[in-house]
Amino acid sequence: MDVQPTIDFTQELDEETLFIVSQTFKAISDPTRIRILYLLFEREYAVNEISDELALKQSTVSHQLRFLKNMRLVKSRREGTSIYYSQADKHVMQILKQMIEHAAHC
């Protein structure tokens, strides 16, 4: 069972929490990164598959994936010479999904 920590909204946020939250929102504020994360909702993809699917240069995709991996929003696994990427943070993916649903209803 996944136990969620209890948050006391009456207390101020500490600096580390503020930093992590702001950096996470910064990470998902870029249209290219949103497109990549959206693609990774359903399954994992290799860099070249993401590049083909989104009509982006492979170098652009690699750069954005590196950023997302550093932010711990995607994870990778190697299979032979290919590296496959998938979502790594279901909480952030849920926030992204909610924001997409919100935008669709505006």
Side-chain angles (χ1 to χ4, degrees):
M1 184 187 327
D2 191 18
V3 177
Q4 298 295 320
T6 303
I7 299 172
D8 182 358
F9 285 101
T10 63
Q11 293 187 353
E12 281 201 40
L13 294 171
D14 60 78
E15 291 299 316
E16 181 181 359
T17 301
L18 283 170
F19 179 76
I20 292 169
V21 170
S22 68
Q23 292 302 301
T24 302
F25 276 111
K26 179 181 175 182
I28 62 173
S29 69
D30 179 84
T32 301
R33 291 192 289 263
I34 291 170
R35 292 177 69 206
I36 291 169
L37 288 170
Y38 185 75
L39 191 63
L40 297 176
F41 264 111
E42 296 302 318
R43 68 175 183 92
E44 66 181 12
Y45 284 85
V47 174
N48 64 319
E49 292 174 316
I50 296 170
S51 178
D52 291 345
E53 193 75 26
L54 299 179
L56 296 168
K57 292 181 182 178
Q58 201 162 350
S59 61
T60 300
V61 172
S62 294
H63 172 76
Q64 297 299 347
L65 285 169
R66 188 170 33 260
F67 181 89
L68 291 167
K69 190 172 180 181
N70 287 339
M71 292 299 299
R72 297 186 185 132
L73 299 179
V74 299
K75 59 187 174 184
S76 63
R77 72 173 182 85
R78 181 178 291 279
E79 186 175 300
T81 59
S82 297
I83 300 177
Y84 290 88
Y85 290 86
S86 60
Q87 58 177 290
D89 190 324
K90 292 193 184 299
H91 297 106
V92 172
M93 295 302 281
Q94 186 62 36
I95 291 168
L96 182 59
K97 180 181 178 190
Q98 289 174 343
M99 289 304 300
I100 291 168
E101 289 170 348
H102 172 74
H105 290 96
C106 287

PDB file of all heavy atoms in Angstrom, residues 25 27-31 33-41 68 73 89-103:
ATOM      1  N   PHE A  25       7.673  22.574 -11.906  1.00  0.00           N
ATOM      2  CA  PHE A  25       6.794  23.339 -12.794  1.00  0.00           C
ATOM      3  C   PHE A  25       7.575  23.926 -13.961  1.00  0.00           C
ATOM      4  O   PHE A  25       7.073  23.973 -15.091  1.00  0.00           O
ATOM      5  CB  PHE A  25       6.040  24.432 -12.027  1.00  0.00           C
ATOM      6  CG  PHE A  25       4.789  23.927 -11.370  1.00  0.00           C
ATOM      7  CD1 PHE A  25       4.702  23.845  -9.993  1.00  0.00           C
ATOM      8  CD2 PHE A  25       3.702  23.531 -12.131  1.00  0.00           C
ATOM      9  CE1 PHE A  25       3.550  23.377  -9.379  1.00  0.00           C
ATOM     10  CE2 PHE A  25       2.542  23.063 -11.526  1.00  0.00           C
ATOM     11  CZ  PHE A  25       2.470  22.980 -10.144  1.00  0.00           C
ATOM     12  N   ALA A  27      10.114  22.530 -15.350  1.00  0.00           N
ATOM     13  CA  ALA A  27      10.386  21.402 -16.246  1.00  0.00           C
ATOM     14  C   ALA A  27       9.204  21.092 -17.145  1.00  0.00           C
ATOM     15  O   ALA A  27       9.382  20.748 -18.316  1.00  0.00           O
ATOM     16  CB  ALA A  27      10.770  20.165 -15.439  1.00  0.00           C
ATOM     17  N   ILE A  28       7.995  21.215 -16.618  1.00  0.00           N
ATOM     18  CA  ILE A  28       6.826  20.878 -17.434  1.00  0.00           C
ATOM     19  C   ILE A  28       6.202  22.105 -18.094  1.00  0.00           C
ATOM     20  O   ILE A  28       5.110  22.027 -18.643  1.00  0.00           O
ATOM     21  CB  ILE A  28       5.772  20.071 -16.641  1.00  0.00           C
ATOM     22  CG1 ILE A  28       5.228  20.855 -15.454  1.00  0.00           C
ATOM     23  CG2 ILE A  28       6.338  18.738 -16.214  1.00  0.00           C
ATOM     24  CD1 ILE A  28       4.071  20.165 -14.743  1.00  0.00           C
ATOM     25  N   SER A  29       6.908  23.229 -18.057  1.00  0.00           N
ATOM     26  CA  SER A  29       6.370  24.444 -18.676  1.00  0.00           C
ATOM     27  C   SER A  29       6.793  24.604 -20.137  1.00  0.00           C
ATOM     28  O   SER A  29       6.306  25.490 -20.821  1.00  0.00           O
ATOM     29  CB  SER A  29       6.801  25.682 -17.886  1.00  0.00           C
ATOM     30  OG  SER A  29       8.195  25.895 -18.022  1.00  0.00           O
ATOM     31  N   ASP A  30       7.662  23.749 -20.613  1.00  0.00           N
ATOM     32  CA  ASP A  30       8.163  23.844 -21.983  1.00  0.00           C
ATOM     33  C   ASP A  30       7.290  23.004 -22.926  1.00  0.00           C
ATOM     34  O   ASP A  30       7.053  21.813 -22.648  1.00  0.00           O
ATOM     35  CB  ASP A  30       9.606  23.340 -22.028  1.00  0.00           C
ATOM     36  CG  ASP A  30      10.182  23.379 -23.411  1.00  0.00           C
ATOM     37  OD1 ASP A  30      10.666  24.437 -23.807  1.00  0.00           O
ATOM     38  OD2 ASP A  30      10.127  22.330 -24.095  1.00  0.00           O
ATOM     39  N   PRO A  31       6.801  23.585 -24.024  1.00  0.00           N
ATOM     40  CA  PRO A  31       5.926  22.833 -24.939  1.00  0.00           C
ATOM     41  C   PRO A  31       6.534  21.531 -25.471  1.00  0.00           C
ATOM     42  O   PRO A  31       5.828  20.524 -25.579  1.00  0.00           O
ATOM     43  CB  PRO A  31       5.665  23.822 -26.082  1.00  0.00           C
ATOM     44  CG  PRO A  31       5.846  25.167 -25.459  1.00  0.00           C
ATOM     45  CD  PRO A  31       6.939  24.990 -24.428  1.00  0.00           C
ATOM     46  N   ARG A  33       8.797  19.612 -24.003  1.00  0.00           N
ATOM     47  CA  ARG A  33       8.816  18.626 -22.922  1.00  0.00           C
ATOM     48  C   ARG A  33       7.414  18.109 -22.620  1.00  0.00           C
ATOM     49  O   ARG A  33       7.234  16.922 -22.333  1.00  0.00           O
ATOM     50  CB  ARG A  33       9.483  19.218 -21.676  1.00  0.00           C
ATOM     51  CG  ARG A  33      10.974  19.433 -21.879  1.00  0.00           C
ATOM     52  CD  ARG A  33      11.702  19.741 -20.601  1.00  0.00           C
ATOM     53  NE  ARG A  33      11.422  21.058 -20.059  1.00  0.00           N
ATOM     54  CZ  ARG A  33      12.183  22.130 -20.236  1.00  0.00           C
ATOM     55  NH1 ARG A  33      13.302  22.039 -20.952  1.00  0.00           N
ATOM     56  NH2 ARG A  33      11.866  23.279 -19.686  1.00  0.00           N
ATOM     57  N   ILE A  34       6.408  18.982 -22.721  1.00  0.00           N
ATOM     58  CA  ILE A  34       5.028  18.527 -22.524  1.00  0.00           C
ATOM     59  C   ILE A  34       4.676  17.489 -23.589  1.00  0.00           C
ATOM     60  O   ILE A  34       4.082  16.448 -23.285  1.00  0.00           O
ATOM     61  CB  ILE A  34       4.035  19.706 -22.574  1.00  0.00           C
ATOM     62  CG1 ILE A  34       4.224  20.607 -21.350  1.00  0.00           C
ATOM     63  CG2 ILE A  34       2.586  19.199 -22.642  1.00  0.00           C
ATOM     64  CD1 ILE A  34       3.458  21.915 -21.423  1.00  0.00           C
ATOM     65  N   ARG A  35       5.041  17.749 -24.830  1.00  0.00           N
ATOM     66  CA  ARG A  35       4.758  16.802 -25.918  1.00  0.00           C
ATOM     67  C   ARG A  35       5.429  15.454 -25.664  1.00  0.00           C
ATOM     68  O   ARG A  35       4.831  14.394 -25.891  1.00  0.00           O
ATOM     69  CB  ARG A  35       5.226  17.378 -27.250  1.00  0.00           C
ATOM     70  CG  ARG A  35       4.395  18.585 -27.703  1.00  0.00           C
ATOM     71  CD  ARG A  35       4.923  19.184 -28.991  1.00  0.00           C
ATOM     72  NE  ARG A  35       4.678  18.252 -30.096  1.00  0.00           N
ATOM     73  CZ  ARG A  35       5.415  18.222 -31.207  1.00  0.00           C
ATOM     74  NH1 ARG A  35       6.423  19.055 -31.379  1.00  0.00           N
ATOM     75  NH2 ARG A  35       5.127  17.372 -32.165  1.00  0.00           N
ATOM     76  N   ILE A  36       6.666  15.492 -25.203  1.00  0.00           N
ATOM     77  CA  ILE A  36       7.395  14.251 -24.917  1.00  0.00           C
ATOM     78  C   ILE A  36       6.736  13.503 -23.766  1.00  0.00           C
ATOM     79  O   ILE A  36       6.480  12.293 -23.858  1.00  0.00           O
ATOM     80  CB  ILE A  36       8.881  14.539 -24.624  1.00  0.00           C
ATOM     81  CG1 ILE A  36       9.579  15.018 -25.905  1.00  0.00           C
ATOM     82  CG2 ILE A  36       9.574  13.299 -24.052  1.00  0.00           C
ATOM     83  CD1 ILE A  36      10.980  15.575 -25.685  1.00  0.00           C
ATOM     84  N   LEU A  37       6.443  14.190 -22.677  1.00  0.00           N
ATOM     85  CA  LEU A  37       5.803  13.540 -21.535  1.00  0.00           C
ATOM     86  C   LEU A  37       4.431  12.990 -21.914  1.00  0.00           C
ATOM     87  O   LEU A  37       4.071  11.875 -21.507  1.00  0.00           O
ATOM     88  CB  LEU A  37       5.686  14.519 -20.364  1.00  0.00           C
ATOM     89  CG  LEU A  37       6.997  14.860 -19.666  1.00  0.00           C
ATOM     90  CD1 LEU A  37       6.788  16.010 -18.686  1.00  0.00           C
ATOM     91  CD2 LEU A  37       7.574  13.639 -18.962  1.00  0.00           C
ATOM     92  N   TYR A  38       3.684  13.739 -22.708  1.00  0.00           N
ATOM     93  CA  TYR A  38       2.369  13.288 -23.160  1.00  0.00           C
ATOM     94  C   TYR A  38       2.490  11.978 -23.936  1.00  0.00           C
ATOM     95  O   TYR A  38       1.693  11.052 -23.755  1.00  0.00           O
ATOM     96  CB  TYR A  38       1.722  14.384 -24.007  1.00  0.00           C
ATOM     97  CG  TYR A  38       0.310  14.088 -24.429  1.00  0.00           C
ATOM     98  CD1 TYR A  38      -0.739  14.196 -23.523  1.00  0.00           C
ATOM     99  CD2 TYR A  38       0.023  13.706 -25.730  1.00  0.00           C
ATOM    100  CE1 TYR A  38      -2.049  13.932 -23.914  1.00  0.00           C
ATOM    101  CE2 TYR A  38      -1.286  13.445 -26.125  1.00  0.00           C
ATOM    102  CZ  TYR A  38      -2.307  13.560 -25.208  1.00  0.00           C
ATOM    103  OH  TYR A  38      -3.598  13.295 -25.597  1.00  0.00           O
ATOM    104  N   LEU A  39       3.495  11.895 -24.771  1.00  0.00           N
ATOM    105  CA  LEU A  39       3.738  10.678 -25.549  1.00  0.00           C
ATOM    106  C   LEU A  39       4.056   9.496 -24.630  1.00  0.00           C
ATOM    107  O   LEU A  39       3.664   8.366 -24.895  1.00  0.00           O
ATOM    108  CB  LEU A  39       4.888  10.919 -26.540  1.00  0.00           C
ATOM    109  CG  LEU A  39       5.120   9.863 -27.599  1.00  0.00           C
ATOM    110  CD1 LEU A  39       3.919   9.747 -28.532  1.00  0.00           C
ATOM    111  CD2 LEU A  39       6.365  10.203 -28.393  1.00  0.00           C
ATOM    112  N   LEU A  40       4.740   9.774 -23.533  1.00  0.00           N
ATOM    113  CA  LEU A  40       5.164   8.715 -22.613  1.00  0.00           C
ATOM    114  C   LEU A  40       4.073   8.282 -21.633  1.00  0.00           C
ATOM    115  O   LEU A  40       4.316   7.418 -20.797  1.00  0.00           O
ATOM    116  CB  LEU A  40       6.411   9.162 -21.835  1.00  0.00           C
ATOM    117  CG  LEU A  40       7.658   9.416 -22.678  1.00  0.00           C
ATOM    118  CD1 LEU A  40       8.791   9.938 -21.805  1.00  0.00           C
ATOM    119  CD2 LEU A  40       8.093   8.166 -23.438  1.00  0.00           C
ATOM    120  N   PHE A  41       2.870   8.864 -21.751  1.00  0.00           N
ATOM    121  CA  PHE A  41       1.773   8.449 -20.879  1.00  0.00           C
ATOM    122  C   PHE A  41       1.492   6.958 -20.993  1.00  0.00           C
ATOM    123  O   PHE A  41       1.276   6.288 -20.001  1.00  0.00           O
ATOM    124  CB  PHE A  41       0.480   9.212 -21.215  1.00  0.00           C
ATOM    125  CG  PHE A  41       0.238  10.424 -20.363  1.00  0.00           C
ATOM    126  CD1 PHE A  41       0.327  11.681 -20.914  1.00  0.00           C
ATOM    127  CD2 PHE A  41      -0.100  10.301 -19.026  1.00  0.00           C
ATOM    128  CE1 PHE A  41       0.091  12.810 -20.147  1.00  0.00           C
ATOM    129  CE2 PHE A  41      -0.331  11.417 -18.246  1.00  0.00           C
ATOM    130  CZ  PHE A  41      -0.239  12.679 -18.811  1.00  0.00           C
ATOM    131  N   LEU A  68      14.734  16.131 -18.605  1.00  0.00           N
ATOM    132  CA  LEU A  68      13.663  15.455 -17.870  1.00  0.00           C
ATOM    133  C   LEU A  68      14.200  14.345 -16.975  1.00  0.00           C
ATOM    134  O   LEU A  68      13.682  14.121 -15.874  1.00  0.00           O
ATOM    135  CB  LEU A  68      12.626  14.898 -18.846  1.00  0.00           C
ATOM    136  CG  LEU A  68      11.786  15.942 -19.584  1.00  0.00           C
ATOM    137  CD1 LEU A  68      11.022  15.297 -20.730  1.00  0.00           C
ATOM    138  CD2 LEU A  68      10.853  16.658 -18.621  1.00  0.00           C
ATOM    139  N   LEU A  73      11.873  12.982 -13.995  1.00  0.00           N
ATOM    140  CA  LEU A  73      10.527  12.867 -14.554  1.00  0.00           C
ATOM    141  C   LEU A  73      10.430  11.746 -15.575  1.00  0.00           C
ATOM    142  O   LEU A  73       9.326  11.278 -15.881  1.00  0.00           O
ATOM    143  CB  LEU A  73      10.093  14.197 -15.178  1.00  0.00           C
ATOM    144  CG  LEU A  73      10.033  15.372 -14.198  1.00  0.00           C
ATOM    145  CD1 LEU A  73       9.614  16.640 -14.920  1.00  0.00           C
ATOM    146  CD2 LEU A  73       9.106  15.073 -13.039  1.00  0.00           C
ATOM    147  N   ASP A  89       7.646   9.605 -12.794  1.00  0.00           N
ATOM    148  CA  ASP A  89       6.976  10.221 -11.653  1.00  0.00           C
ATOM    149  C   ASP A  89       5.481  10.312 -11.934  1.00  0.00           C
ATOM    150  O   ASP A  89       5.019  11.213 -12.619  1.00  0.00           O
ATOM    151  CB  ASP A  89       7.559  11.608 -11.378  1.00  0.00           C
ATOM    152  CG  ASP A  89       7.082  12.196 -10.069  1.00  0.00           C
ATOM    153  OD1 ASP A  89       5.910  11.971  -9.701  1.00  0.00           O
ATOM    154  OD2 ASP A  89       7.864  12.890  -9.406  1.00  0.00           O
ATOM    155  N   LYS A  90       4.748   9.345 -11.407  1.00  0.00           N
ATOM    156  CA  LYS A  90       3.308   9.294 -11.663  1.00  0.00           C
ATOM    157  C   LYS A  90       2.583  10.514 -11.103  1.00  0.00           C
ATOM    158  O   LYS A  90       1.571  10.930 -11.653  1.00  0.00           O
ATOM    159  CB  LYS A  90       2.725   8.006 -11.104  1.00  0.00           C
ATOM    160  CG  LYS A  90       3.213   6.772 -11.854  1.00  0.00           C
ATOM    161  CD  LYS A  90       2.390   5.558 -11.496  1.00  0.00           C
ATOM    162  CE  LYS A  90       2.922   4.318 -12.155  1.00  0.00           C
ATOM    163  NZ  LYS A  90       2.918   4.334 -13.600  1.00  0.00           N
ATOM    164  N   HIS A  91       3.093  11.100 -10.029  1.00  0.00           N
ATOM    165  CA  HIS A  91       2.459  12.291  -9.458  1.00  0.00           C
ATOM    166  C   HIS A  91       2.501  13.452 -10.452  1.00  0.00           C
ATOM    167  O   HIS A  91       1.494  14.121 -10.689  1.00  0.00           O
ATOM    168  CB  HIS A  91       3.143  12.705  -8.148  1.00  0.00           C
ATOM    169  CG  HIS A  91       3.030  11.697  -7.075  1.00  0.00           C
ATOM    170  ND1 HIS A  91       4.087  10.907  -6.697  1.00  0.00           N
ATOM    171  CD2 HIS A  91       1.978  11.330  -6.302  1.00  0.00           C
ATOM    172  CE1 HIS A  91       3.696  10.094  -5.731  1.00  0.00           C
ATOM    173  NE2 HIS A  91       2.421  10.327  -5.469  1.00  0.00           N
ATOM    174  N   VAL A  92       3.666  13.697 -11.030  1.00  0.00           N
ATOM    175  CA  VAL A  92       3.806  14.789 -11.990  1.00  0.00           C
ATOM    176  C   VAL A  92       2.998  14.485 -13.246  1.00  0.00           C
ATOM    177  O   VAL A  92       2.361  15.378 -13.809  1.00  0.00           O
ATOM    178  CB  VAL A  92       5.289  15.065 -12.315  1.00  0.00           C
ATOM    179  CG1 VAL A  92       5.427  16.067 -13.453  1.00  0.00           C
ATOM    180  CG2 VAL A  92       6.015  15.561 -11.070  1.00  0.00           C
ATOM    181  N   MET A  93       2.987  13.233 -13.660  1.00  0.00           N
ATOM    182  CA  MET A  93       2.200  12.861 -14.835  1.00  0.00           C
ATOM    183  C   MET A  93       0.712  13.094 -14.572  1.00  0.00           C
ATOM    184  O   MET A  93      -0.014  13.532 -15.459  1.00  0.00           O
ATOM    185  CB  MET A  93       2.469  11.410 -15.224  1.00  0.00           C
ATOM    186  CG  MET A  93       3.897  11.138 -15.674  1.00  0.00           C
ATOM    187  SD  MET A  93       4.433  12.120 -17.091  1.00  0.00           S
ATOM    188  CE  MET A  93       3.661  11.199 -18.411  1.00  0.00           C
ATOM    189  N   GLN A  94       0.258  12.840 -13.358  1.00  0.00           N
ATOM    190  CA  GLN A  94      -1.141  13.091 -13.013  1.00  0.00           C
ATOM    191  C   GLN A  94      -1.442  14.585 -13.058  1.00  0.00           C
ATOM    192  O   GLN A  94      -2.496  14.994 -13.555  1.00  0.00           O
ATOM    193  CB  GLN A  94      -1.460  12.511 -11.623  1.00  0.00           C
ATOM    194  CG  GLN A  94      -2.921  12.601 -11.257  1.00  0.00           C
ATOM    195  CD  GLN A  94      -3.820  11.820 -12.198  1.00  0.00           C
ATOM    196  OE1 GLN A  94      -3.470  10.752 -12.691  1.00  0.00           O
ATOM    197  NE2 GLN A  94      -4.991  12.351 -12.473  1.00  0.00           N
ATOM    198  N   ILE A  95      -0.524  15.409 -12.560  1.00  0.00           N
ATOM    199  CA  ILE A  95      -0.698  16.872 -12.624  1.00  0.00           C
ATOM    200  C   ILE A  95      -0.770  17.317 -14.083  1.00  0.00           C
ATOM    201  O   ILE A  95      -1.630  18.115 -14.458  1.00  0.00           O
ATOM    202  CB  ILE A  95       0.447  17.594 -11.883  1.00  0.00           C
ATOM    203  CG1 ILE A  95       0.327  17.356 -10.383  1.00  0.00           C
ATOM    204  CG2 ILE A  95       0.455  19.089 -12.199  1.00  0.00           C
ATOM    205  CD1 ILE A  95       1.555  17.766  -9.601  1.00  0.00           C
ATOM    206  N   LEU A  96       0.130  16.792 -14.906  1.00  0.00           N
ATOM    207  CA  LEU A  96       0.138  17.143 -16.327  1.00  0.00           C
ATOM    208  C   LEU A  96      -1.180  16.737 -16.993  1.00  0.00           C
ATOM    209  O   LEU A  96      -1.778  17.507 -17.744  1.00  0.00           O
ATOM    210  CB  LEU A  96       1.329  16.496 -17.030  1.00  0.00           C
ATOM    211  CG  LEU A  96       1.495  16.796 -18.507  1.00  0.00           C
ATOM    212  CD1 LEU A  96       1.651  18.300 -18.755  1.00  0.00           C
ATOM    213  CD2 LEU A  96       2.701  16.048 -19.052  1.00  0.00           C
ATOM    214  N   LYS A  97      -1.650  15.540 -16.686  1.00  0.00           N
ATOM    215  CA  LYS A  97      -2.923  15.062 -17.242  1.00  0.00           C
ATOM    216  C   LYS A  97      -4.063  15.985 -16.830  1.00  0.00           C
ATOM    217  O   LYS A  97      -4.908  16.354 -17.657  1.00  0.00           O
ATOM    218  CB  LYS A  97      -3.193  13.629 -16.759  1.00  0.00           C
ATOM    219  CG  LYS A  97      -4.486  13.057 -17.288  1.00  0.00           C
ATOM    220  CD  LYS A  97      -4.720  11.659 -16.763  1.00  0.00           C
ATOM    221  CE  LYS A  97      -6.049  11.133 -17.265  1.00  0.00           C
ATOM    222  NZ  LYS A  97      -6.429   9.897 -16.602  1.00  0.00           N
ATOM    223  N   GLN A  98      -4.088  16.384 -15.565  1.00  0.00           N
ATOM    224  CA  GLN A  98      -5.139  17.286 -15.091  1.00  0.00           C
ATOM    225  C   GLN A  98      -5.068  18.633 -15.789  1.00  0.00           C
ATOM    226  O   GLN A  98      -6.104  19.216 -16.122  1.00  0.00           O
ATOM    227  CB  GLN A  98      -5.050  17.458 -13.578  1.00  0.00           C
ATOM    228  CG  GLN A  98      -5.469  16.212 -12.819  1.00  0.00           C
ATOM    229  CD  GLN A  98      -5.242  16.335 -11.325  1.00  0.00           C
ATOM    230  OE1 GLN A  98      -4.503  17.203 -10.850  1.00  0.00           O
ATOM    231  NE2 GLN A  98      -5.882  15.457 -10.570  1.00  0.00           N
ATOM    232  N   MET A  99      -3.873  19.138 -16.016  1.00  0.00           N
ATOM    233  CA  MET A  99      -3.721  20.420 -16.692  1.00  0.00           C
ATOM    234  C   MET A  99      -4.175  20.326 -18.146  1.00  0.00           C
ATOM    235  O   MET A  99      -4.802  21.250 -18.669  1.00  0.00           O
ATOM    236  CB  MET A  99      -2.278  20.916 -16.621  1.00  0.00           C
ATOM    237  CG  MET A  99      -1.856  21.358 -15.237  1.00  0.00           C
ATOM    238  SD  MET A  99      -2.929  22.645 -14.529  1.00  0.00           S
ATOM    239  CE  MET A  99      -2.750  23.948 -15.713  1.00  0.00           C
ATOM    240  N   ILE A 100      -3.882  19.219 -18.815  1.00  0.00           N
ATOM    241  CA  ILE A 100      -4.315  19.015 -20.189  1.00  0.00           C
ATOM    242  C   ILE A 100      -5.843  18.937 -20.244  1.00  0.00           C
ATOM    243  O   ILE A 100      -6.486  19.564 -21.101  1.00  0.00           O
ATOM    244  CB  ILE A 100      -3.647  17.765 -20.804  1.00  0.00           C
ATOM    245  CG1 ILE A 100      -2.153  18.030 -20.991  1.00  0.00           C
ATOM    246  CG2 ILE A 100      -4.315  17.375 -22.116  1.00  0.00           C
ATOM    247  CD1 ILE A 100      -1.330  16.800 -21.304  1.00  0.00           C
ATOM    248  N   GLU A 101      -6.440  18.199 -19.302  1.00  0.00           N
ATOM    249  CA  GLU A 101      -7.897  18.105 -19.234  1.00  0.00           C
ATOM    250  C   GLU A 101      -8.499  19.488 -18.951  1.00  0.00           C
ATOM    251  O   GLU A 101      -9.514  19.852 -19.540  1.00  0.00           O
ATOM    252  CB  GLU A 101      -8.322  17.098 -18.177  1.00  0.00           C
ATOM    253  CG  GLU A 101      -8.025  15.661 -18.582  1.00  0.00           C
ATOM    254  CD  GLU A 101      -8.216  14.664 -17.458  1.00  0.00           C
ATOM    255  OE1 GLU A 101      -8.366  15.068 -16.276  1.00  0.00           O
ATOM    256  OE2 GLU A 101      -8.195  13.456 -17.749  1.00  0.00           O
ATOM    257  N   HIS A 102      -7.898  20.236 -18.062  1.00  0.00           N
ATOM    258  CA  HIS A 102      -8.372  21.590 -17.747  1.00  0.00           C
ATOM    259  C   HIS A 102      -8.334  22.468 -18.996  1.00  0.00           C
ATOM    260  O   HIS A 102      -9.301  23.176 -19.293  1.00  0.00           O
ATOM    261  CB  HIS A 102      -7.511  22.202 -16.631  1.00  0.00           C
ATOM    262  CG  HIS A 102      -7.799  23.640 -16.381  1.00  0.00           C
ATOM    263  ND1 HIS A 102      -8.928  24.073 -15.731  1.00  0.00           N
ATOM    264  CD2 HIS A 102      -7.101  24.750 -16.709  1.00  0.00           C
ATOM    265  CE1 HIS A 102      -8.914  25.408 -15.678  1.00  0.00           C
ATOM    266  NE2 HIS A 102      -7.821  25.832 -16.257  1.00  0.00           N
ATOM    267  N   ALA A 103      -7.227  22.415 -19.718  1.00  0.00           N
ATOM    268  CA  ALA A 103      -7.076  23.243 -20.930  1.00  0.00           C
ATOM    269  C   ALA A 103      -8.097  22.844 -21.988  1.00  0.00           C
ATOM    270  O   ALA A 103      -8.598  23.700 -22.723  1.00  0.00           O
ATOM    271  CB  ALA A 103      -5.661  23.115 -21.479  1.00  0.00           C
TER     272      ALA A 103
END
